[in-house]
Amino acid sequence: TGEASSATGVNGAQDDDTAPGSGAVYVFARGGAAWTQQAYLKASNAETGDVFGASVSIDEDFLAVGASGEDSSAAGWGGVESDNGAPESGAAYLFERSGGAWAQASYIKAANTGASDAFGARLALSATTLVVGAAGEDSSATGVDGDGASDAAAGSGACYSARW
């Protein structure tokens, strides 16, 4: 999470240290008795303090990565990544491996993105289901599918799930 390259995407320049705390994920694959680096993954919108790699989960050819410090105010799947209107709201990224090569498949935000939510601080991936935690989310909703717009319970946290 402290990795500092400003590279974006897959297999960019690992030695560029102009974005402290942007984070990275290194994927290793085993061939026989040896492990080798298969990919160097960065967010498509890597910036200082994004903490990409705060959490990771892999299932077969899919890899989910949390970036709890990411700042976009986008909501849902595939929003505008460059809008930094919600500091430390967090994001999740879904990567897919095909023929041994990794590519970013999705950029994911909470449906009710808010500053300091830390969406992506924890996540889990299984088959076609992704669950993402937002430790700093402020809704006072309870149970499943409550009113996420209510910010009456500072830092109460939330969990989001999606299927594709």
Side-chain angles (χ1 to χ4, degrees):
T1 59
E3 194 273 347
S5 170
S6 64
T8 59
V10 179
N11 295 327
Q14 298 180 40
D15 57 353
D16 168 7
D17 290 335
T18 59
S22 57
V25 172
Y26 298 82
V27 180
F28 292 85
R30 185 173 175 175
W35 288 88
T36 58
Q37 185 173 322
Q38 186 178 60
Y40 169 71
L41 306 178
K42 295 285 288 185
S44 49
N45 60 336
E47 293 181 331
T48 297
D50 281 354
V51 197
F52 180 83
S55 57
V56 296
S57 182
I58 190 168
D59 188 2
E60 299 290 330
D61 290 325
F62 290 94
L63 173 67
V65 180
S68 57
E70 195 270 349
D71 300 326
S72 172
S73 61
W77 290 64
V80 177
E81 300 176 23
S82 60
D83 170 11
N84 287 337
E88 298 180 6
S89 54
Y93 300 79
L94 187 63
F95 290 84
E96 184 176 7
R97 178 176 45 199
S98 178
W102 289 93
Q104 184 176 319
S106 296
Y107 167 72
I108 307 154
K109 298 286 288 185
N112 60 331
T113 298
S116 301
D117 281 355
F119 182 84
R122 301 286 184 268
L123 52 75
L125 174 67
S126 179
T128 58
T129 301
L130 174 64
V131 179
V132 182
E137 208 281 325
D138 298 328
S139 173
S140 61
T142 59
V144 178
D145 292 331
D147 179 11
S150 166
D151 283 343
S156 58
C159 188
Y160 301 79
S161 68
R163 293 188 67 130
W164 69 93

